[in-house]
Amino acid sequence: MDHSPSTKAPFYKRVQAIAVLIASVMISFGSWGDTKELLTELYDSGISLFTNNVEFSHLNSVKVGGNLEFIEKTYGIAKVIKLSKTKDGVEYRYYTDRKYVLAVATKKSRIIAYQVVSLRTSFDPSVPFSDFTLGSFSYSEYANNIDDYRLDNANITYFLESHSLGRAGLFLNLHLAYVGYAADYSAASTAHVTSQQAVASLDQAVLESNNKALNTALQTLRNKVRPNVYVVGDVDASTAADMLLTRYEYAVYFKDQL
């Protein structure tokens, strides 16, 4: 039986025809600037359906020490702004994308840290100052030791651990987190313990001040769970954790927007 080579070609031809038609109409009204912007958005949207290249390009514009105005040329104005509970004069600004939530910590319009929360298991951005991509490694695979950690299993289920980057990382800190409402990269590789159960077990051991159970739960979590968040910047573990949206904030501000 004969088969048509592909159904994709007609689809792309239709998209191309529509784009040309729109461009022709808008140019006829003298709106080349608007036409160029629209065509760029259409192209980016099409590429984004099949790859993460557009999102990676956007994230590359976000730098510690950068200017807030510069990144808002890419992301637009923040959807949510929160005051830091741990650092005076610092604000957290949150920007939405179908595949991730970006948060930047700013002080007088200067970016002092930024956070990427993955919302899809197919989204795998590079972790700054490393050879890893998000979702490809467990905590213990990233490093044997940690500098500090934070966790909660109430308003938000999360575990966050901190690593100082030293001279090679501009003396910044990298924080790797698992948060319950984000993409669960661990699901396919975890047979007998889920990520949220691992956090709950560690949280219970901390509450009970049971050092033996704590060490066991921490090791189990670090071996089994894969981070779905990274934070990089000149902030400590408490501030990196403070940047995380609670599950209620996420549900109100972002869940229906993605």
Side-chain angles (χ1 to χ4, degrees):
M1 182 182 293
D2 292 334
H3 295 279
S4 59
S6 173
T7 58
K8 292 183 179 180
F11 170 77
Y12 285 120
K13 287 181 179 179
R14 288 197 298 271
V15 172
Q16 184 182 38
I18 292 171
V20 171
L21 177 61
I22 292 172
S24 300
V25 172
M26 295 188 72
I27 290 173
S28 69
F29 285 98
S31 304
W32 169 241
D34 293 339
T35 303
K36 184 178 180 181
E37 182 177 349
L38 176 60
L39 292 177
T40 299
E41 290 179 1
L42 287 172
Y43 175 80
D44 286 351
S45 296
I47 293 297
S48 184
L49 290 174
F50 303 101
T51 74
N52 295 315
N53 293 345
V54 173
E55 290 78 12
F56 294 164
S57 176
H58 290 172
L59 284 175
N60 284 339
S61 69
V62 185
K63 305 292 184 184
V64 176
N67 186 278
L68 178 63
E69 184 178 347
F70 177 77
I71 71 160
E72 291 199 333
K73 290 179 181 178
T74 298
Y75 288 95
I77 61 173
K79 185 171 181 60
V80 180
I81 300 175
K82 293 172 55 179
L83 293 177
S84 173
K85 297 177 183 177
T86 60
K87 292 179 74 74
D88 292 338
V90 171
E91 291 182 335
Y92 308 140
R93 295 170 179 264
Y94 299 84
Y95 306 86
T96 184
D97 183 276
R98 293 192 305 271
K99 299 178 182 179
Y100 65 98
V101 174
L102 170 69
V104 296
T106 62
K107 188 169 186 176
K108 295 181 179 179
S109 295
R110 179 181 181 273
I111 298 171
I112 63 171
Y114 66 95
Q115 174 192 93
V116 175
V117 180
S118 175
L119 301 176
R120 296 187 180 184
T121 55
S122 59
F123 184 62
D124 56 348
S126 296
V127 176
F129 303 103
S130 81
D131 296 325
F132 291 98
T133 57
L134 206 59
S136 68
F137 62 96
S138 66
Y139 284 100
S140 60
E141 288 172 328
Y142 178 81
N144 292 326
N145 302 310
I146 60 178
D147 295 338
D148 198 359
Y149 73 87
R150 298 287 186 276
L151 81 157
D152 193 8
N153 194 35
N155 291 330
I156 174 176
T157 297
Y158 83 92
F159 171 81
L160 176 146
E161 69 175 38
S162 303
H163 302 271
S164 56
L165 294 173
R167 187 182 300 276
L170 305 177
F171 297 103
L172 300 174
N173 294 317
L174 176 68
H175 311 274
L176 299 170
Y178 165 82
V179 62
Y181 54 73
D184 194 345
Y185 297 105
S186 309
S189 60
T190 303
H192 64 280
V193 59
T194 68
S195 301
Q196 295 198 31
Q197 287 173 337
V199 175
S201 296
L202 179 58
D203 184 62
Q204 187 63 34
V206 171
L207 291 175
E208 294 175 353
S209 299
N210 186 330
N211 289 335
K212 183 177 180 180
L214 189 155
N215 290 332
T216 299
L218 179 59
Q219 190 61 45
T220 298
L221 185 153
R222 298 195 74 246
N223 287 338
K224 297 292 184 179
V225 178
R226 298 184 179 188
N228 52 21
V229 179
Y230 69 77
V231 186
V232 63
D234 187 20
V235 295
D236 61 13
S238 294
T239 299
D242 189 42
M243 290 177 70
L244 292 169
L245 293 167
T246 68
R247 65 166 64 97
Y248 304 108
E249 290 170 332
Y250 170 74
V252 169
Y253 295 118
F254 290 98
K255 190 173 183 180
D256 295 333
Q257 306 297 317
L258 304 170

